[in-house]
């Protein structure tokens, strides 16, 4: 095998992963279906030799070729690169030089960190259940792609359920468990977890059997056996046979007694869940089930108040790839929830080692460690068992109350947001804020040279006070930083909180900090997420592991740590300036505006009537209501004609307006920002208004609105002043004023048409024809004339 241009470790890594996935890499084995640095037949050699991309230079062969079992038909090629090298060129080379002449539909590129894929016939990434494939796949899955194209479902389409459909099923389970006499939410949550675990264990056992592995459960304990029993016999069998045996193996998860007493209700639950197939469901989709029960478990307490956010799986995988865990390292999540980070880290390592009994013991007993305060600790244990075990190192305790020093190689976590703790005195920088203590706990838990990837609220990056002290300490104590700014709406519908990924090492060689801005994550935001083709996460990963940034087409910046310490900020837009791409002159808006409006307390003028104005993204400034001063308790701002007013929490969706003459002297909420141009002739208010409502500038605003608004957008006057705007020339102003005049004409015309419409309708009403006769006739005449 020729490894002159490859790191031997990368080649070895690929061989190990393929072997673990069931490919036969040993070329002496009669069942071999993988070749390295060669092809199987002379005809294939000729095809590669004659390919247009290979007609110049030395003839080369693919690093790996995957074949359909028992044939000489190439179905995939793998191009490998040294660690940290970009994969874009590798994908193109694999396609043009090898996949096209071989007609091999599946293309993989790998650089020891992550996999990029393409489907030969449409150049799209391979996707399973809408998610980009980020690792090598087995022979069976490869054939499914060959048959179905670049996107497949991991389970047949008829058993695929939407999130909403799953939630309906879970709601029915909750009602059945209530009928079974389980009154407390936590009781129902525990019972449902136990039952769902049995179902998932059976599905996972089926999957293992299909790939030649031993099932997780003996046949007599499995769901399929229970389902096929006669109604009325199932409950006693589970209580007398299944439960005692499950307790022997998983006593730290299950209770001593099966919680359901009614045959009829248990039969209904079995029937209901038997129609579902969760094998295709991501961990977070199953998490929706647990979330539904948790919401009920805590009754009036909202789940978000408990910090129970389910981290999107693509973010989890990205963070695991950032730290790139290795066999023998200890990985810790002090706020593990349902175990998503631990599962992905476990899978990442498992795929990259040749497993034997000793390695298996290390993986399951001394690789992943999790702590969770809430009842989801049981779920984390269950998930670990389903995905390869390691559950014995997941414990239900309060991380804050148990500081850890220099114990783990890697910390991966999404800490609970906005929590309070009484254990802050156990840390170097005491605080009652959980956010402050969480970062200290993570840093302390790392061994020297350990590395961490942590999801943080935006206030960690720029806040003063205790949070600023923790940030300053970490900046001084860990040299190797990467900051990844994520989109604000990433965690909807749970929370609008803006987050970033921070990566650091307790010691490092580089003396600079890397900033990346991720705007697209492969799906839309909100409750009903839809997959999109735009995804900046692989580009960021490429940059994170690659010293050459010339090919990175997302916003990034490299800053000397000396300047980081001077600014005492890790907020990305303190280092990256967001400006529109234009050849026109740009200047900071702050140079051309002043704060405006008079802050007043209307209650100081009890006899005066005030016109209260609002601002929206539809109407701009609008009249809301009139009130006497003695009925108004809050602080307001009195505005004048030409003032520009915006809601700092909604300006990112266009809630801004210019005060017209008719609303002179009105008042707006004291939380609003009011300003006006220093020279309204050179920079008219309506020009600024139009500019800031444009799509380009809304993107700029959305970048700058997070420094003082982690939970919700907050563009204050300081950040507004940092926006660079296009300074209008006389030519630009003349054209703009021309448009303004047209708008005024159109508005008058619209009002005239509205008046005509009302007159026409009035004229249709018999008793008003005479009163509106002239208007009616005029409207009929105008209606019959052609319009411009």
């Amino acid at each position: 095998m020729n490894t002159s241009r490859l790191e031997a470790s990368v080649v070895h890594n690929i061989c190990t992963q393929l072997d673990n996935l069931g490919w036969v890499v040993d070329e002496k084995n009669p069942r071999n279906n993988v070749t390295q640095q060669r092809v199987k037949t002379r005809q294939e050699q000729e095809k590669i030799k004659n390919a247009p991309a290979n007609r110049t230079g030395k003839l080369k062969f693919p690093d790996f070729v995957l074949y359909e079992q028992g044939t000489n038909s190439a179905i995939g090629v793998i191009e490998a690169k040294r660690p940290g090298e970009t994969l874009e060129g590798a994908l193109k080379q694999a396609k043009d030089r090898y996949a096209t002449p071989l007609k091999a539909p599946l293309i993989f590129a790998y650089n020891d960190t992550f996999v990029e894929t393409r489907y030969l016939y449409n150049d799209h990434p391979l996707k399973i259940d809408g998610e980009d494939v980020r690792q090598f796949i087995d022979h069976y899955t490869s054939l499914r792609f060959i048959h179905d194209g670049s996107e497949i479902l991991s389970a047949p389409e008829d058993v695929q359920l939407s999130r909403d459909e799953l939630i309906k099923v879970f709601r029915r389970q909750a009602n059945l468990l209530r009928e079974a006499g389980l009154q407390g939410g936590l009781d129902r949550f525990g019972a449902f977890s136990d039952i769902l675990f049995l179902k998932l264990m059976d599905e996972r056992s089926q999957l293992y059997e299909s790939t030649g592995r031993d099932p997780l459960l003996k046949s007599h304990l499995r769901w399929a056996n229970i389902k096929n029993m006669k109604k009325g016999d199932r409950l006693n069998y589970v209580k007398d046979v299944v439960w005692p045996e499950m307790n022997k193996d998983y006593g730290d998860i299950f209770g001593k007694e099966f919680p359901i007493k009614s045959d009829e209700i248990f039969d209904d639950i079995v029937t209901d869940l038997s129609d579902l197939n969760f094998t295709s469901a991501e961990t977070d989709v199953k998490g929706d089930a647990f979330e539904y029960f948790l919401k009920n478990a805590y009754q009036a307490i909202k789940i978000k108040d408990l910090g129970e956010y389910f981290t999107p799986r693509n973010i989890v995988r990205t963070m695991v790839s950032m730290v790139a865990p290795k066999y023998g390292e200890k990985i810790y999540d002090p706020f593990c929830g349902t175990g998503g980070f631990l599962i992905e880290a476990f899978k990442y390592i498992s795929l990259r080692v040749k497993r034997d009994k000793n390695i298996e013991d290390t993986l399951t007993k001394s690789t992943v460690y999790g702590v969770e305060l809430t009842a989801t600790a049981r779920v984390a244990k269950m998930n670990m068992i389903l995905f390869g075990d390691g559950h014995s190192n997941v414990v239900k305790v309060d991380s804050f109350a148990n500081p850890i020093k220099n114990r783990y190689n890697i910390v991966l976590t999404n800490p609970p947001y906005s929590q309070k703790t009484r254990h802050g005195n156990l840390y170097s920088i005491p605080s009652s804020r959980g956010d402050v203590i969480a970062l200290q706990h993570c840093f302390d838990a790392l061994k020297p040279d350990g590395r961490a990837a942590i999801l943080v609220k935006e206030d960690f990056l720029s806040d003063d006070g205790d949070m600023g002290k923790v940030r300053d300490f970490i900046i001084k104590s860990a040299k190797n930083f990467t900051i990844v700014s994520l989109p604000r709406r990433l965690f909807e519908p749970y929370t609008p909180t803006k987050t970033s990924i921070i990566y650091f090492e307790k010691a490092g060689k580089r003396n600079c900090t890397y900033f990346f801005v991720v705007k697209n994550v492969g799906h839309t935001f909100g409750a009903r997420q839809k997959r999109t083709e735009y995804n900046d996460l692989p580009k960021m990963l490429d940059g994170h592991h690659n010293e050459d940034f010339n090919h990175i087409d997302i916003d990034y910046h490299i800053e000397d740590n000396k300047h980081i310490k001077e600014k005492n900020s890790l907020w990305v837009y303190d280092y990256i300036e967001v400006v529109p791409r234009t050849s026109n002159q740009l200047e900071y808006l702050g140079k051309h505006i002043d704060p405006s409006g008079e802050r007043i307390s209307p209650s100081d003028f009890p006899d005066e009537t005030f016109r209260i104005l609002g601002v929206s993204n539809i109407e701009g400034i609008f009249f809301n209501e009139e009130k006497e001063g003695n009925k108004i308790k809050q602080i307001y701002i009195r505005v004048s004609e030409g003032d520009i007013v915006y809601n700092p929490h909604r300006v990112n969706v266009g809630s801004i307006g210019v005060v017209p003459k008719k609303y002179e002297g009105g008042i707006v909420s004291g939380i609003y920002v009011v300003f006006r141009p220093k020279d309204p002739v050179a920079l008219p208010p309506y020009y600024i208004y139009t500019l800031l409502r444009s799509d380009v500038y809304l993107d700029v605003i959305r970048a700058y609105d997070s420094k003082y608004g982690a939970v919700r957008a907050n563009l204050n006057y300081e950040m507004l002043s940092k926006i660079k705007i296009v300074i209008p020339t006389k030519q630009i102003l003349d054209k703009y004023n021309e448009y303004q005049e047209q708008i005024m004409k159109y508005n008058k015309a619209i009002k005239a048409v509205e008046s005509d419409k009302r007159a026409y309708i009035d004229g249709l009403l018999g008793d008003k024809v005479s009163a509106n006769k002239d208007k009616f006739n005029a409207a009929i005449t105008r209606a019959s004339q052609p319009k411009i």
Side-chain angles (χ1 to χ4, degrees):
M1 180 173 52
N2 176 14
T3 60
S4 59
R5 67 178 195 80
L6 291 176
E7 293 286 344
S9 62
V10 179
V11 174
H12 176 74
N13 196 329
I14 293 173
C15 291
T16 301
Q17 292 189 53
L18 294 177
D19 188 55
N20 284 338
L21 288 165
W23 293 94
V24 183
V25 180
D26 181 3
E27 296 191 17
K28 296 178 181 178
N29 189 318
R31 298 181 63 252
N32 167 255
N33 54 8
V34 179
T35 60
Q36 302 170 40
Q37 285 290 322
R38 71 174 187 88
V39 288
K40 277 190 172 185
T41 67
R42 197 175 294 276
Q43 289 89 343
E44 289 176 315
Q45 284 185 353
E46 289 300 313
K47 287 177 182 178
I48 290 177
K49 181 179 178 181
N50 294 324
N54 295 323
R55 286 176 184 167
T56 58
K58 183 180 177 181
L59 179 62
K60 296 180 180 178
F61 291 98
D63 295 319
F64 292 84
V65 182
L66 308 177
Y67 288 87
E68 183 176 352
Q69 185 67 53
T71 75
N72 291 332
S73 299
I75 58 177
V77 297
I78 299 174
E79 190 68 11
K81 290 293 182 185
R82 289 187 177 91
E85 288 191 7
T86 177
L87 295 180
E88 267 186 36
L91 284 170
K92 181 170 176 29
Q93 178 175 312
K95 178 184 176 183
D96 295 345
R97 290 189 171 187
Y98 313 126
T100 299
L102 293 176
K103 295 184 179 178
L106 310 182
I107 303 169
F108 302 86
Y110 180 65
N111 62 2
D112 206 36
T113 304
F114 63 97
V115 172
E116 280 273 21
T117 66
R118 292 293 184 273
Y119 189 68
L120 176 64
Y121 300 116
N122 61 14
D123 207 32
H124 290 177
L126 303 179
K127 292 178 182 285
I128 299 178
D129 299 330
E131 288 278 0
D132 286 359
V133 171
R134 292 286 171 217
Q135 63 182 37
F136 298 118
I137 55 179
D138 60 28
H139 182 264
Y140 171 74
T141 306
S142 299
L143 293 182
R144 290 196 58 204
F145 275 114
I146 302 299
H147 182 267
D148 296 338
S150 59
E151 296 195 37
I152 66 171
L153 300 172
S154 58
E157 193 165 0
D158 58 350
V159 299
Q160 290 279 328
L161 291 175
S162 71
R163 181 181 185 276
D164 289 342
E165 289 170 325
L166 283 171
I167 291 295
K168 287 179 183 177
V169 173
F170 305 149
R171 186 177 294 118
R172 288 199 300 271
Q173 305 309 300
N175 290 332
L176 287 169
L177 292 170
R178 179 181 56 79
E179 285 185 55
L182 300 174
Q183 297 302 316
L186 282 172
D187 288 343
R188 285 184 218 158
F189 169 70
F192 178 73
S193 300
D194 294 343
I195 295 168
L196 186 60
F197 181 63
L198 284 176
K199 177 72 166 71
L200 294 172
M201 286 280 274
D202 185 63
E203 290 186 15
R204 184 62 57 174
S205 293
Q206 291 179 47
L207 187 64
Y208 280 17
E209 287 175 327
S210 70
T211 57
R213 297 167 65 185
D214 293 334
L216 293 171
L217 287 177
K218 299 171 185 175
S219 60
H220 71 283
L221 301 177
R222 286 170 57 176
W223 186 273
N225 183 51
I226 298 167
K227 179 187 72 171
N228 293 329
M229 286 183 174
K230 184 179 177 182
K231 286 187 178 183
D233 293 343
R234 294 166 172 161
L235 179 59
N236 284 335
Y237 183 79
V238 169
K239 286 166 61 178
D240 298 338
V241 178
V242 177
W243 227 240
E245 290 202 40
M246 294 299 287
N247 265 275
K248 286 179 185 176
D249 294 330
Y250 307 114
D252 56 338
I253 294 178
F254 292 100
K256 294 282 184 187
E257 294 185 14
F258 190 64
I260 298 174
K261 311 299 180 188
S262 165
D263 284 312
E264 185 179 355
I265 288 175
F266 184 61
D267 285 336
D268 286 345
I269 290 173
V270 170
T271 300
D272 216 11
L273 290 181
S274 291
D275 293 334
L276 301 181
N277 187 321
F278 291 98
T279 300
S280 63
E282 289 288 348
T283 306
D284 277 352
V285 176
K286 298 186 200 65
D288 286 332
F290 299 123
E291 178 199 351
Y292 179 81
F293 281 83
L294 279 172
K295 281 181 177 178
N296 288 275
Y298 293 99
Q299 296 173 352
I301 304 174
K302 293 182 180 178
I303 194 162
K304 68 179 183 180
D305 296 328
L306 298 166
E308 293 285 354
Y309 302 137
F310 292 92
T311 311
R313 199 57 31 196
N314 53 350
I315 301 301
V316 172
R317 288 173 179 152
T318 296
M319 292 168 65
V320 170
S321 292
M322 289 180 78
V323 298
K326 299 176 178 61
Y327 173 72
E329 293 186 316
K330 297 182 186 300
I331 301 147
Y332 176 51
D333 183 349
F335 316 100
C336 69
T338 57
F341 283 105
L342 301 179
I343 290 165
E344 289 301 327
F346 186 93
K347 288 161 67 176
Y348 185 96
I349 297 173
S350 297
L351 195 58
R352 289 162 172 79
V353 292
K354 187 72 174 175
R355 296 174 74 163
D356 57 27
K357 188 177 187 312
N358 291 332
I359 287 176
E360 197 82 30
D361 283 347
T362 300
L363 286 173
T364 58
K365 295 176 182 177
S366 54
T367 296
V368 291
Y369 298 79
V371 176
E372 174 55 41
L373 175 62
T374 72
T376 48
R378 292 179 68 233
V379 179
K381 285 175 173 284
M382 293 177 184
N383 275 336
M384 292 306 300
I385 293 166
L386 291 168
F387 286 93
D389 215 344
H391 78 284
S392 58
N393 294 325
V394 176
V395 295
K396 183 181 179 297
V397 298
D398 185 350
S399 293
F400 294 148
N402 295 274
I404 294 171
K405 299 285 187 181
N406 305 319
R407 190 179 301 175
Y408 300 105
N409 304 97
I410 292 172
V411 170
L412 281 163
T413 194
N414 177 11
Y417 301 147
S418 305
Q419 303 300 292
K420 294 292 183 183
T421 178
R422 63 181 65 188
H423 305 294
N425 61 308
L426 301 176
Y427 295 83
S428 301
I429 302 170
S431 176
S432 61
R433 291 180 59 190
D435 298 22
V436 172
I437 302 304
L439 269 296
Q440 293 184 77
H441 183 93
C442 292
F443 186 87
D444 291 346
L446 282 174
K447 292 180 177 181
D449 298 321
R451 55 204 187 275
I454 304 170
L455 268 173
V456 296
K457 282 199 314 182
E458 210 74 348
D459 56 4
F460 167 78
L461 304 178
S462 59
D463 265 16
D464 296 326
D466 291 343
M467 188 65 84
K469 292 177 185 176
V470 172
R471 181 180 64 252
D472 184 52
F473 170 76
I474 294 177
I475 288 173
K476 290 176 179 176
S477 307
K479 296 179 182 178
N480 199 0
F481 266 95
T482 297
I483 310 298
V484 183
S485 177
L486 299 172
R488 174 177 290 283
R489 300 183 62 200
L490 181 66
F491 277 88
E492 290 184 354
Y494 305 121
T495 173
T497 300
K498 169 76 173 72
T499 59
S500 290
I501 301 169
I502 62 167
Y503 169 92
F504 62 84
E505 299 166 10
K506 251 190 173 174
K509 295 179 181 178
R510 291 194 306 230
N511 289 316
C512 53
T513 294
Y514 288 66
F515 294 91
F516 297 96
V517 178
V518 168
K519 297 177 181 176
N520 305 294
V521 297
H523 59 74
T524 60
F525 305 116
R528 297 179 179 275
Q529 295 180 356
K530 295 181 180 178
R531 304 296 173 190
T532 68
E533 60 182 294
Y534 305 107
N535 191 350
D536 297 334
L537 293 170
K539 302 171 188 176
M540 181 280 297
L541 277 174
D542 217 0
H544 175 69
H545 293 289
N546 191 343
E547 294 293 334
D548 178 13
F549 285 83
N550 293 327
H551 63 283
I552 302 294
D553 62 347
I554 63 174
D555 290 338
Y556 74 92
H557 178 75
I558 306 170
E559 186 68 42
D560 191 293
N561 277 359
K562 181 171 62 178
H563 299 143
I564 299 284
K565 292 171 183 175
E566 289 169 1
K567 285 193 175 185
N568 191 25
S569 172
L570 292 173
W571 188 58
V572 62
Y573 294 112
D574 276 334
Y575 305 96
I576 294 178
E577 197 169 55
V578 185
V579 294
R581 295 174 182 173
T582 176
S583 58
N584 294 292
Q585 181 185 356
L586 291 169
E587 291 184 6
Y588 290 112
L589 182 57
K591 288 178 57 178
H592 299 275
I593 61 173
D594 287 315
S596 187
E598 175 193 3
R599 296 186 75 82
I600 63 170
S601 177
S603 59
D604 293 341
F605 309 91
D607 298 327
E608 186 176 339
T609 300
F610 291 89
R611 286 183 300 171
I612 301 176
L613 310 176
V615 60
S616 78
N617 60 339
I618 304 297
E619 303 172 77
I621 301 295
F622 64 91
F623 172 73
N624 195 356
E625 61 178 332
E626 282 190 345
K627 275 188 178 181
E628 285 90 20
N630 61 4
K631 296 180 180 177
I632 305 174
K633 305 302 180 186
Q634 298 88 359
I635 299 295
Y636 276 77
I637 302 172
R638 196 191 298 270
V639 295
S640 304
E641 179 187 3
D643 281 344
I644 305 170
V645 181
Y646 69 83
N647 181 340
H649 305 306
R650 290 189 53 77
V651 67
N652 59 352
V653 294
S655 287
I656 185 171
V658 180
V659 178
K661 185 174 182 179
K662 64 180 179 178
Y663 293 146
E664 171 85 31
I667 61 174
V668 297
S669 168
I671 69 165
Y672 288 0
V673 176
V674 183
F675 67 98
R676 63 188 304 119
K678 293 178 179 179
D679 185 347
V681 176
L683 197 65
Y686 276 99
Y687 172 81
I688 298 174
Y689 160 80
T690 306
L691 210 63
L692 295 181
R693 279 174 54 91
S694 68
D695 288 341
V696 171
Y697 273 95
L698 285 177
D699 282 342
V700 176
I701 288 168
R702 288 173 190 135
Y704 286 169
D705 68 10
S706 65
K707 185 169 186 178
Y708 302 107
V711 176
R712 59 174 179 163
N714 184 14
L715 187 82
N716 63 13
Y717 183 82
E718 175 195 349
M719 299 312 301
L720 172 76
S721 299
K722 292 184 177 182
I723 292 175
K724 281 189 171 178
I725 66 163
V726 176
I727 301 301
T729 61
K730 183 179 183 303
Q731 183 181 9
I732 291 173
L733 275 182
D734 287 345
K735 189 66 177 176
Y736 179 79
N737 289 331
E738 181 184 327
Y739 283 126
Q740 282 293 102
E741 289 175 8
Q742 289 182 36
I743 289 172
M744 291 176 66
K745 289 179 182 178
Y746 290 151
N747 285 340
K748 287 181 180 178
I750 289 169
K751 288 180 181 178
V753 172
E754 286 289 339
S755 177
D756 290 348
K757 181 176 70 175
R758 286 194 299 271
Y760 175 71
I761 295 300
D762 286 345
L764 295 177
L765 306 176
D767 58 341
K768 292 191 176 181
V769 170
S770 57
N772 294 283
K773 185 176 180 181
D774 293 339
K775 285 187 177 181
F776 178 72
N777 290 333
I780 292 294
T781 301
R782 282 193 290 270
S784 65
Q785 294 174 348
K787 299 292 187 296
I788 298 176

